[in-house]
Amino acid sequence: MKGYSGLASFVFLLLTLVLVSCQSISFTSVPALNDFGVVEGRLSAVNVQSHDIAFYIFLTSWQKRPVSIGSGGTWSSSLSSSDKSASILTAYVVPKNVNTIVPSGLYSVPMAITSAAIASARTGRGLLSFAGYNLWKSQTSVTPVTPGPNPFSAGNVWVDSNGKMRLSIRKAQDTWNSAAVTLRNPLGFGTYVTQLEVDPTLWDPCTVLGIYTFESMSDAANNREHDLEISRFCYYPENVQFAVQPTSINDNRIRFSLSSSPSFTYVMQWSSGRVDFALFEGQIDSSRFMFTPAIKRFSVTGPRVYDANNAEFRMNLWMYRGNTTGLKQEQTVTISGFKFIKDMIPLGSFTADTAAGSALSWLTPSAAANIPGYSAPSMGDIPWQTAAASFLPNFNQ
């Protein structure tokens, strides 16, 4: 009997685990952007006697809407005419004792709700899908707004037939419109990898490409912003900068130049109290970061680095101070890939301007042989003491 009791307990536990793993909520029908009507969805393996659905829409902040739970695992809600511009809808399955009221003006759903949820779903309306994420929101504003200020057109951001995202500054009815896109799904601490195709040497000197994290509803100065900005800002001799805003603080920024190249890989690694920037020539896989000389690296540590909170990942292409006086042709950048890695990927520490070939000579022969384009330098290229001291990858970064 003891053996039977033990087996029964095991089977019960196994079934419980399977049931919990199958608990889900989904959207099955959503009105198009700028329309209103019924939102429908389904539940799976959820006990509606003990759990409720908390459904929210994002207008200028998160707002809760009532939900009806039907038979057969269905649920529904409604969008009114005043909800037509809601771009993101999200639903959580939470225990009935959880307070699901969201105070007015909140930019994020409270953690007390998200952490208590046994299942959740999110969908967007009028949003772009790119790099495995379907919550990219482009910006439109006829009236010039920051950055710049510039007018922005949502049509200046699109995903082409090859799955690449393109941003353009285009002229429409004698007005140059900029481009901006936001991933409406805060990712937090981790490694952000962006692959881009751009030749800044061909751009107008006032054109700016920004790739950055930004918390628009933050009360902190400069919106908790960490930047890669490719621009001469009309007058700088260099055309790139890594920066933690505000750049008026010493050591918050480094400027350097890019020459013509078909593509680049930009890496921002963000953890508590530290942000590391690196820019590589070509499209570099994360497994090669440690062994590939970077064009430039830069780190900021301490209280100048912002906490993650609800910062979003953004990209924009715009004109500095709205200066289109010298703009003669369309400005375009291609984002060929984006990846977020929750882990901290070893980035190494050497750059292309610090005898990278000799740095690679201090890898194991088998590791060096696997690096495309690598050929072993002669021993006379650089004293071994200097190479060991200056060029070995820093495994603590």
Side-chain angles (χ1 to χ4, degrees), residues 73-380:
T74 62
W75 66 273
S76 63
S77 185
S78 295
L79 301 182
S80 68
S81 58
S82 60
D83 298 332
K84 291 192 299 183
S85 63
S87 58
I88 304 177
L89 317 179
T90 188
Y92 299 91
V93 179
V94 295
K96 286 184 178 290
N97 62 354
V98 173
N99 180 5
T100 57
I101 296 175
V102 174
S104 176
L106 278 193
Y107 189 63
S108 60
V109 177
M111 188 174 294
I113 298 171
T114 60
S115 60
I118 63 170
S120 64
R122 179 175 286 201
T123 190
R125 306 197 303 162
L127 304 183
L128 296 170
S129 294
F130 171 66
Y133 296 89
N134 61 0
L135 293 173
W136 297 92
K137 174 68 173 177
S138 54
Q139 179 180 353
T140 290
S141 178
V142 177
T143 303
V145 294
T146 58
N150 290 277
F152 286 80
S153 172
N156 288 1
V157 181
W158 73 100
V159 178
D160 67 18
S161 59
N162 295 316
K164 298 180 180 182
M165 180 175 282
R166 297 180 181 270
L167 283 71
S168 287
I169 300 173
R170 291 171 165 176
K171 197 171 189 178
Q173 297 179 347
D174 297 325
T175 299
W176 289 99
N177 293 289
S178 295
V181 64
T182 300
L183 179 55
R184 303 302 298 270
N185 181 26
L187 300 174
F189 291 144
T191 303
Y192 296 71
V193 183
T194 309
Q195 295 178 329
L196 55 151
E197 301 170 17
V198 60
D199 186 352
T201 64
L202 302 178
W203 277 358
D204 183 275
C206 295
T207 299
V208 184
L209 169 65
I211 302 177
Y212 58 108
T213 55
F214 187 87
E215 188 172 351
S216 60
M217 298 296 286
S218 170
D219 57 1
N222 301 283
N223 301 96
R224 305 183 186 277
E225 190 171 338
H226 307 105
D227 297 297
L228 164 70
E229 291 175 310
I230 298 180
S231 180
R232 289 181 55 201
F233 293 99
C234 297
Y235 65 89
Y236 281 109
E238 308 89 359
N239 58 13
V240 189
Q241 69 178 25
F242 294 142
V244 172
Q245 299 292 343
T247 56
S248 57
I249 296 178
N250 290 337
D251 302 323
N252 267 22
R253 176 180 67 172
I254 185 171
R255 289 195 59 82
F256 57 99
S257 286
L258 288 181
S259 58
S260 177
S261 178
S263 62
F264 301 94
T265 298
Y266 165 56
V267 182
M268 186 196 78
Q269 193 163 94
W270 187 15
S271 58
S272 181
R274 183 181 182 108
V275 61
D276 295 282
F277 303 92
L279 190 64
F280 300 93
E281 186 170 2
Q283 298 195 358
I284 307 300
D285 184 79
S286 58
S287 63
R288 295 170 55 198
F289 291 162
M290 181 183 295
F291 309 111
T292 304
I295 297 170
K296 185 67 70 175
R297 300 176 187 270
F298 183 58
S299 299
V300 177
T301 60
R304 292 176 294 165
V305 177
Y306 300 113
D307 291 331
N309 292 324
N310 290 288
E312 296 171 320
F313 179 78
R314 295 186 171 194
M315 298 183 286
N316 54 26
L317 190 65
W318 51 283
M319 300 303 295
Y320 181 63
R321 293 184 176 175
N323 187 346
T324 60
T325 303
L327 195 56
K328 305 299 183 184
Q329 61 184 9
E330 182 177 310
Q331 312 283 282
T332 300
V333 62
T334 299
I335 308 300
S336 50
F338 171 76
K339 181 188 292 184
F340 173 74
I341 306 166
K342 197 66 178 176
D343 299 325
M344 298 293 124
I345 305 298
L347 291 181
S349 61
F350 53 97
T351 57
D353 57 1
T354 54
S358 296
L360 294 176
S361 71
W362 290 94
L363 301 173
T364 64
S366 60
N370 290 326
I371 300 175
Y374 170 75
S375 60
S378 68
M379 292 303 293

